Amino acid sequence: GQQLNQSPQSMFIQEGEDVSMNCTSSSIFNTWLWYKQDPGEGPVLLIALYKAGELTSNGRLTAQFGITRKDSFLNISASIPSDVGIYFCAGLVRDYKLSFGAGTTVTVRA
Amino acid sequence: KAGVTQTPRYLIKTRGQQVTLSCSPISGHRSVSWYQQTPGQGLQFLFEYFSETQRNKGNFPGRFSGRQFSNSRSEMNVSTLELGDSALYLCASSLEGSPYGYTFGSGTRLTVV
């Protein structure tokens, strides 16, 4: 399947900081999705993006669908301890198959 | 409503053995998708079942197979286990297969020794 490059691989954040992560691909996607996975749980959908250039917010989370349709980024504002987890980007082309990035592990620095 | 239930939660198997994992979707959901999650690789799509038919398949060897029953419950089977099959196996259910409506289970952690 399509390869998604997600960066950074991991990050330590200070409570209250704004953080950003992104995903790039050599292929075009029709939809970008961002998930969060808590330890011992399955991923949960945070934000779905359907149109190139679209900017969507969900509380402290903001995500954008890149103009080229080959990239997306996720911002978390004013991070809090419960933001800890693994964040995945995923791209959807067709046939209900998702291609996932390798994930960004977020740890909050006390 | 009850979420997606995967059993067992943990499993340890020996190389060469086979294993069957189970996924009970949310009531009313007819699509079940399976993913393999390994550190540094993210989630890799295995297959998707809808109304007892396999609709989509990922790029995994034939040792990985699945099926779906009339009550939408799904099983995944891996034969002739290899060390590299150690992973978290996740299933996701949705009404008709759209990932926008995915609800993931907590996964089955398979360790092959």
Side-chain angles (χ1 to χ4, degrees), chain A residues 31 37 40-43 88 95-96, chain B residues 9 37 56 97 100 104-106:
Chain A
T31 300
Q37 184 177 29
E41 301 295 329
F88 291 100
D95 295 340
Y96 302 140
Chain B
R9 285 299 304 269
Q37 183 179 8
N56 290 294
Y100 317 129
F104 279 91
S106 298

Side-chain angles (χ1 to χ4, degrees), chain A residues 1 31 33 35 37 40-43 45 48 50 86 88 92 95-98 100-102, chain B residues 9 35 37 40 42-43 45 55-57 59 88 90 96-100 102 104-106:
Chain A
T31 300
L33 306 171
Y35 290 86
Q37 184 177 29
E41 301 295 329
L45 181 65
Y50 305 103
I86 306 175
F88 291 100
L92 176 67
D95 295 340
Y96 302 140
K97 280 192 288 190
L98 286 179
F100 280 84
Chain B
R9 285 299 304 269
Y35 288 84
Q37 183 179 8
L43 282 73
F45 175 78
R55 278 201 305 198
N56 290 294
K57 191 176 190 306
N59 299 319
L88 179 68
L90 292 161
E96 295 180 10
S98 169
Y100 317 129
Y102 270 2
F104 279 91
S106 298

Side-chain angles (χ1 to χ4, degrees), chain B residues 3 25 28 34-35 38 40 46 51-52 68-69 74 83 85 88-89 110:
Chain B
W34 288 89
Y35 288 84
T38 53
L46 281 154
S51 292
E52 302 179 68
Q68 187 179 34
F69 301 95
S74 178
L83 295 179
D85 297 333
L88 179 68
Y89 290 88
L110 172 65

Side-chain angles (χ1 to χ4, degrees), chain A residues 27-100:
Chain A
S27 303
I28 288 174
F29 288 102
N30 296 327
T31 300
W32 283 92
L33 306 171
W34 285 91
Y35 290 86
K36 181 186 179 221
Q37 184 177 29
D38 291 326
E41 301 295 329
V44 172
L45 181 65
L46 298 173
I47 291 180
L49 301 157
Y50 305 103
K51 284 170 49 177
E54 180 181 356
L55 186 71
T56 297
S57 293
N58 178 8
R60 294 179 297 105
L61 306 175
T62 302
Q64 184 158 29
F65 192 143
I67 292 290
T68 65
R69 295 166 64 194
K70 293 182 178 181
D71 63 326
S72 178
F73 72 77
L74 175 72
N75 283 345
I76 306 173
S77 63
S79 52
I80 60 178
S82 63
D83 289 334
V84 162
I86 306 175
Y87 292 79
F88 291 100
C89 62
L92 176 67
V93 178
R94 60 182 183 277
D95 295 340
Y96 302 140
K97 280 192 288 190
L98 286 179
S99 293
F100 280 84

Side-chain angles (χ1 to χ4, degrees), chain B residues 23-30 32 52 68-74:
Chain B
C23 174
S24 293
I26 289 174
S27 178
H29 283 191
R30 296 192 295 166
V32 174
E52 302 179 68
Q68 187 179 34
F69 301 95
S70 58
N71 61 358
S72 294
R73 189 177 72 85
S74 178

